[in-house]
Amino acid sequence: RVDGRPQINLTSEVAVQNLCRIAIEQNLIKSAHDCSDGGLAVAIAESSIIGRIGVKASIPINDRWDAALFGESQSRIVITLDPNDIGHLDSLVVGKDVSSTHIGTVGGDRILISDLVDIPIVNAVRQWEHGLELAMAG
């Protein structure tokens, strides 16, 4: 479904980018991936594939699962950090025009997103690296 017109709140985008930059400068962030191309599920999957590590995420779904997983709403970045640094990141968010949500943990050998996605990381990597040739082979 195609709905609405893309809009960006530049104030919000600058706030998110600045917070991310500060967290990187403080060595809090291990990885970061924006959600602009395919949404949250694609950002999570691409990060897992590139890092060759699984994830267990629980995404709040209020209405439509497709919008929650694949919506390309602006100014969202999926980051990973050491669990011991979550409080530090939370303190950076205070007073900023930025919100954060803990959606899961990194580890294991599967990409698990709520009860909607369950893919072994080896299968995702194989499809990512050889998808076209696998599709052509039938």
Side-chain angles (χ1 to χ4, degrees):
R1 173 179 165 187
V2 177
D3 190 18
R5 294 176 57 189
Q7 295 181 11
I8 186 166
N9 178 325
L10 290 178
T11 302
S12 180
E13 181 67 23
V14 167
V16 168
Q17 294 292 336
N18 282 339
L19 180 68
C20 193
R21 183 182 45 77
I22 290 167
I24 290 169
E25 289 170 352
Q26 294 184 15
N27 294 316
L28 296 178
I29 293 181
K30 305 289 185 197
S31 71
H33 194 309
D34 72 296
C35 297
S36 66
D37 191 13
L40 187 55
V42 171
I44 291 169
E46 287 179 347
S47 295
S48 290
I49 290 166
I50 291 166
R52 302 292 201 271
I53 190 164
V55 62
K56 183 175 184 181
S58 180
I59 298 172
I61 299 174
N62 297 325
D63 190 21
R64 293 178 31 214
W65 67 266
D66 59 330
L69 295 183
F70 302 107
E72 295 176 343
S73 58
Q74 300 296 311
S75 305
R76 295 186 305 162
I77 302 173
V78 175
I79 64 168
T80 60
L81 65 156
D82 186 300
N84 295 321
D85 291 331
I86 292 173
H88 189 168
L89 180 70
D90 289 343
S91 70
L92 291 177
V93 171
V94 173
K96 309 280 191 307
D97 187 22
V98 174
S99 63
S100 66
T101 303
H102 179 263
I103 60 170
T105 56
V106 173
D109 61 356
R110 305 184 80 74
I111 299 171
L112 301 167
I113 302 175
S114 299
D115 61 349
L116 299 169
V117 176
D118 183 354
I119 303 168
I121 197 75
V122 295
N123 292 3
V125 168
R126 189 176 89 244
Q127 290 297 323
W128 181 266
E129 292 178 346
H130 306 287
L132 183 58
E133 63 192 76
L134 291 168
M136 298 301 287

